[in-house]
Amino acid sequence: MSENAITTVTVALAGRSYDIHIGQRLLTDGDRIASLVRGQQAIVVSNHTVAPLYLDALLVALGRIDCQVHVLPDGEQYKTLAHVADILDTALASNAARDVTFIALGGGVVGDMTGFAAACFMRGVAFVQVPTTLLAQVDSSVGGKTGVNHPRGKNLIGAFHQPVGVVIDTDTLSTLDPREYSAGLAEVIKYGAIMDLAFFEWLEANIEALRARDPEAVAYAVAQCCTLKARVVADDETEQGNRALLNFGHTFGHAVEAVTGYTTWLHGEAVAIGMRLAAQMSAIDADEQQRLVALLAAAGLPVAAPGLDADALLKAMGHDKKVLAGRIRLILLRSLGDAFVTDAYDDARLTQTLAAVGG
Amino acid sequence: MSENAITTVTVALAGRSYDIHIGQRLLTDGDRIASLVRGQQAIVVSNHTVAPLYLDALLVALGRIDCQVHVLPDGEQYKTLAHVADILDTALASNAARDVTFIALGGGVVGDMTGFAAACFMRGVAFVQVPTTLLAQVDSSVGGKTGVNHPRGKNLIGAFHQPVGVVIDTDTLSTLDPREYSAGLAEVIKYGAIMDLAFFEWLEANIEALRARDPEAVAYAVAQCCTLKARVVADDETEQGNRALLNFGHTFGHAVEAVTGYTTWLHGEAVAIGMRLAAQMSAIDADEQQRLVALLAAAGLPVAAPGLDADALLKAMGHDKKVLAGRIRLILLRSLGDAFVTDAYDDARLTQTLAAVGG
């Protein structure tokens, strides 16, 4: 891929299909984002970390459009219904009408909250994702999952609401905190682990280039993840079936986040720990388990959370959305690159696995 | 229609089609409501007025199902995002999972809030409407519009979320306050006025029987309204086109409600006033205008709101959802039984019409 190449991936959803554009300098690429705005008015949502870096560029790119800006505090702890209500207040105070477009400029938290605000505003208006973190670029900005957290668990309040477009400027990763960047790599590795052995092997071979943020390696990985996710979402938009595979590591990871009050680990870090636990629960070779752990470690990710209480983790898993009729369903591996959903597992093994979360 | 007849109307929406059952004694009709519950758990939402009357009967009918009850205060002023958050708290506190079913037992406010809570709970779960007011039975329980009010306007926050079924026990109207009952008749008259002249004429001939709550007349009117609404919703679920016709009288009515702080007039009463204003704006015969006004009056409804400020009404209309690109769109009549949406009207005539709101 040359430096100026733009990759476009389509999420095929009949009347709600949309394109993901991936490349460098897309934030300021002429009319690219402005052309996605319906009507003449936009509500641009960002946070206090991202806004100073990229908001001005975005507003210049949106030139002709009447923009109202809403800047959120930065952090998962602000991903609440009350802060979404604030976004809605801003939109209503600016006399936004049904043809307004919401634009999310930031990471997964900004995207989830902006998308949910757009879903609830006048029963649903258009929104555009402009993700600026690796995690948001490869995962949360694609697929229409929006929402907020609740004291009882993550993302328990929300909606499926697809964006009208996603514009991924990989240059924005240059300012990303290294720990946040590694957290994004957890989701990248997830795609390989659950559905694409060749990509997993590519990651094993290129993890150093990725960590060094080599533009070509980054662009390839982001495009590959979006392609895989678009395929899953097109097959199962509202997670009645295979979309659940994307939650590999997340059931465990959410539990780790919940019992640590969402402050110790970044989401991607918790998912990395969760993937290690899920691999340990899976009937795969020790060698394959080890390859996953090694790749996570090479990406700068934790694979253990010392000192956590296994009972508390189990209880926290009871509040995960993936529970049906009282039985926790898990996403496990048949082998690297091949995941499945199951509730047919050994309870003793689950308890044992959770007890080993520390190392 | 014999006293035991049950009418079933289907709302045809491909994968989300559902039935509306209309008849007497349906609340306690064996497994009728229980069979609509997915999974083994239900969140039953009602209010302090309706719960003492019908909650016990519903819970008996739901026998085998694990029910958690949430009772709201009664009134439009409680139709807020904060009170929907309370419903979500109740559901989460009871460990409800994705296969939970929300059940709305009450009027339009309970139905709108419960539906919105179901739309937001874990990105959307099943819900059943059991409407107990005439307004909810003929209008708000059918079609999937859910949501809450905002200080800047009615229903500005919400979602399209279709129920999995609607069970209308017309016996519940026996306990309805006469003023609330008349307010429901406003929506009944609306259907005739906008799309069914024959029904309008039936209403002119049977308004006394309806006001006396004659069971056969009530059952016929409710079934006819649901049939008409189901047809409109099936054609245009998310109000991109003709569904807007159902808002006849509502753009004016919402403005009347807004400038009076939602306390002076019931929704149906404000819609009655709004229909009179809309008829006055329409290029129809004075005789047709007079027939509509006479029918509204015979239904016990107001047709004027003395003392309101025309400028304040116009300003309030600027916040209505039906505004596109700054221009208020109105639903007007070509003739009785034939409505259309337009933004091609005379502004002076609008100001003049609003100035005449007092009589």
Side-chain angles (χ1 to χ4, degrees):
Chain A
M1 182 184 263
S2 88
E3 214 188 331
N4 296 309
I6 296 168
T7 304
T8 298
V9 175
T10 300
V11 184
L13 290 166
R16 286 163 297 112
S17 294
Y18 56 93
D19 288 338
I20 310 162
H21 304 283
I22 304 142
Q24 295 184 257
R25 295 185 295 281
L26 296 195
L27 197 57
T28 52
D29 181 22
D31 223 28
R32 185 170 296 278
I33 299 177
S35 67
L36 292 167
V37 173
R38 298 175 180 182
Q40 293 300 317
Q41 200 177 5
I43 307 296
V44 179
V45 182
S46 191
N47 69 28
H48 283 302
T49 304
V50 176
L53 297 168
Y54 301 112
L55 182 59
D56 283 352
L58 177 60
L59 293 177
V60 168
L62 290 170
R64 63 173 178 89
I65 293 154
D66 172 20
C67 291
Q68 186 71 38
V69 174
H70 186 97
V71 180
L72 294 162
D74 183 13
E76 181 90 25
Q77 68 270 37
Y78 304 108
K79 189 177 162 181
T80 63
L81 193 55
H83 279 93
V84 166
D86 290 344
I87 299 173
L88 296 169
D89 287 344
T90 294
L92 290 166
S94 72
N95 284 330
R98 272 184 174 167
D99 56 355
V100 71
T101 299
F102 283 57
I103 301 176
L105 175 73
V109 170
V110 169
D112 284 5
M113 294 173 73
T114 307
F116 187 44
C120 295
F121 190 72
M122 297 185 179
R123 303 199 187 95
V125 297
F127 87 109
V128 174
Q129 292 272 21
V130 186
T132 60
T133 68
L134 183 55
L135 189 139
Q137 292 183 355
V138 299
D139 182 26
S140 59
S141 72
V142 174
K145 281 194 178 178
T146 73
V148 295
N149 299 329
H150 184 275
R152 289 182 180 269
K154 288 192 57 160
N155 299 318
L156 290 175
I157 299 171
F160 284 100
H161 189 60
Q162 299 292 343
V164 297
V166 182
V167 178
I168 298 177
D169 184 339
T170 53
D171 284 346
T172 59
L173 299 181
S174 65
T175 50
L176 192 60
D177 173 84
R179 197 177 150 198
E180 292 274 2
Y181 185 80
S182 283
L185 288 176
E187 300 284 355
V188 174
I189 292 168
K190 180 193 74 179
Y191 288 101
I194 62 169
M195 62 191 296
D196 191 337
L197 179 60
F199 182 49
F200 189 89
E201 288 168 346
W202 181 91
L203 290 169
E204 289 181 311
N206 292 277
I207 191 67
E208 286 313 314
L210 270 183
R211 285 201 70 183
R213 308 190 198 189
D214 171 80
E216 284 191 32
V218 169
Y220 175 79
V222 171
Q224 185 64 18
C225 292
C226 288
T227 302
L228 292 168
K229 179 143 190 187
R231 192 190 304 161
V232 171
V233 169
D235 281 351
D236 177 23
E237 184 179 4
T238 58
E239 197 166 312
Q240 306 302 305
N242 272 346
R243 183 166 178 168
L245 299 181
L246 297 176
N247 294 319
F248 179 63
H250 284 61
T251 304
F252 290 104
H254 283 173
V256 168
E257 289 182 277
V259 301
T260 52
Y262 300 103
T263 51
T264 310
W265 304 106
L266 297 176
H267 174 65
E269 293 172 336
V271 168
I273 296 163
M275 286 196 282
R276 183 219 124 199
L277 294 172
Q280 200 166 330
M281 272 293 290
S282 302
I284 59 172
D285 293 345
D287 170 60
E288 292 200 314
Q289 272 187 45
Q290 187 44 43
R291 280 173 67 190
L292 179 58
V293 168
L295 184 55
L296 293 168
L301 288 160
V303 290
L308 294 194
D309 179 54
D311 284 345
L313 286 171
L314 196 63
K315 187 153 178 290
M317 288 171 84
H319 280 290
D320 191 279
K321 284 190 302 302
K322 285 160 282 297
V323 179
L324 279 182
R327 176 85 181 157
I328 302 165
R329 297 193 305 163
L330 295 177
I331 294 101
L332 301 180
L333 297 178
R334 282 192 198 86
S335 63
L336 278 178
D338 185 9
F340 66 105
V341 184
T342 183
D343 63 0
Y345 51 82
D346 185 43
D347 284 332
R349 182 159 179 168
L350 176 59
T351 311
Q352 220 169 19
T353 301
L354 292 174
V357 67
Chain B
M1 181 186 263
S2 89
E3 212 186 334
N4 296 309
I6 296 168
T7 304
T8 298
V9 175
T10 300
V11 184
L13 290 165
R16 285 162 297 113
S17 295
Y18 57 93
D19 288 337
I20 310 162
H21 305 284
I22 304 143
Q24 296 185 258
R25 294 184 294 282
L26 295 196
L27 197 57
T28 52
D29 181 23
D31 225 27
R32 184 171 297 278
I33 299 177
S35 67
L36 292 168
V37 174
R38 297 175 180 181
Q40 293 299 316
Q41 200 177 6
I43 308 296
V44 179
V45 181
S46 191
N47 70 28
H48 282 303
T49 303
V50 176
L53 298 169
Y54 302 112
L55 181 60
D56 283 352
L58 178 61
L59 293 177
V60 168
L62 290 170
R64 66 176 174 86
I65 293 154
D66 172 20
C67 291
Q68 186 71 37
V69 174
H70 186 95
V71 179
L72 294 162
D74 183 13
E76 181 91 24
Q77 68 270 39
Y78 304 109
K79 189 175 162 181
T80 62
L81 192 57
H83 279 93
V84 165
D86 290 345
I87 299 173
L88 295 169
D89 287 344
T90 294
L92 289 166
S94 71
N95 284 330
R98 273 185 174 169
D99 56 356
V100 70
T101 299
F102 283 58
I103 301 176
L105 175 72
V109 171
V110 169
D112 283 5
M113 294 172 72
T114 307
F116 187 46
C120 296
F121 191 71
M122 296 185 179
R123 301 198 189 95
V125 297
F127 88 109
V128 174
Q129 291 272 22
V130 186
T132 60
T133 67
L134 183 56
L135 188 140
Q137 291 182 356
V138 300
D139 182 27
S140 60
S141 72
V142 174
K145 280 193 178 180
T146 74
V148 295
N149 299 330
H150 185 275
R152 287 182 182 270
K154 288 192 59 159
N155 299 317
L156 290 176
I157 299 171
F160 284 100
H161 189 58
Q162 299 292 343
V164 296
V166 182
V167 178
I168 298 177
D169 185 339
T170 52
D171 285 346
T172 59
L173 299 180
S174 65
T175 50
L176 191 61
D177 173 82
R179 198 177 149 198
E180 292 274 2
Y181 185 81
S182 282
L185 288 176
E187 299 285 355
V188 174
I189 292 167
K190 180 193 74 179
Y191 288 101
I194 62 169
M195 63 190 295
D196 190 338
L197 178 61
F199 182 49
F200 190 89
E201 288 169 347
W202 181 92
L203 288 170
E204 290 181 311
N206 291 277
I207 191 66
E208 285 314 313
L210 270 184
R211 285 201 72 182
R213 308 190 199 190
D214 171 79
E216 285 191 34
V218 168
Y220 175 78
V222 171
Q224 185 63 18
C225 292
C226 288
T227 302
L228 292 168
K229 179 143 189 186
R231 192 189 304 163
V232 172
V233 170
D235 282 350
D236 177 23
E237 183 179 6
T238 57
E239 198 167 313
Q240 307 302 307
N242 272 345
R243 183 166 178 169
L245 299 181
L246 297 176
N247 294 320
F248 179 63
H250 284 61
T251 303
F252 290 105
H254 283 174
V256 168
E257 289 182 277
V259 301
T260 53
Y262 299 103
T263 52
T264 309
W265 304 107
L266 297 176
H267 175 63
E269 292 172 339
V271 168
I273 296 163
M275 286 195 284
R276 185 218 123 200
L277 295 172
Q280 201 166 330
M281 273 292 289
S282 302
I284 59 172
D285 292 347
D287 169 61
E288 292 200 313
Q289 272 189 43
Q290 186 44 42
R291 280 172 69 190
L292 179 58
V293 168
L295 184 55
L296 293 169
L301 288 161
V303 290
L308 295 194
D309 178 55
D311 283 345
L313 285 171
L314 197 63
K315 187 152 179 287
M317 289 171 82
H319 281 290
D320 190 277
K321 284 192 300 305
K322 284 162 282 297
V323 179
L324 280 182
R327 175 85 182 160
I328 302 165
R329 297 194 304 164
L330 294 177
I331 295 102
L332 301 179
L333 298 179
R334 280 192 199 89
S335 62
L336 277 179
D338 185 10
F340 66 106
V341 185
T342 183
D343 64 359
Y345 51 83
D346 185 44
D347 284 332
R349 183 160 181 167
L350 175 59
T351 311
Q352 218 169 20
T353 301
L354 291 174
V357 67

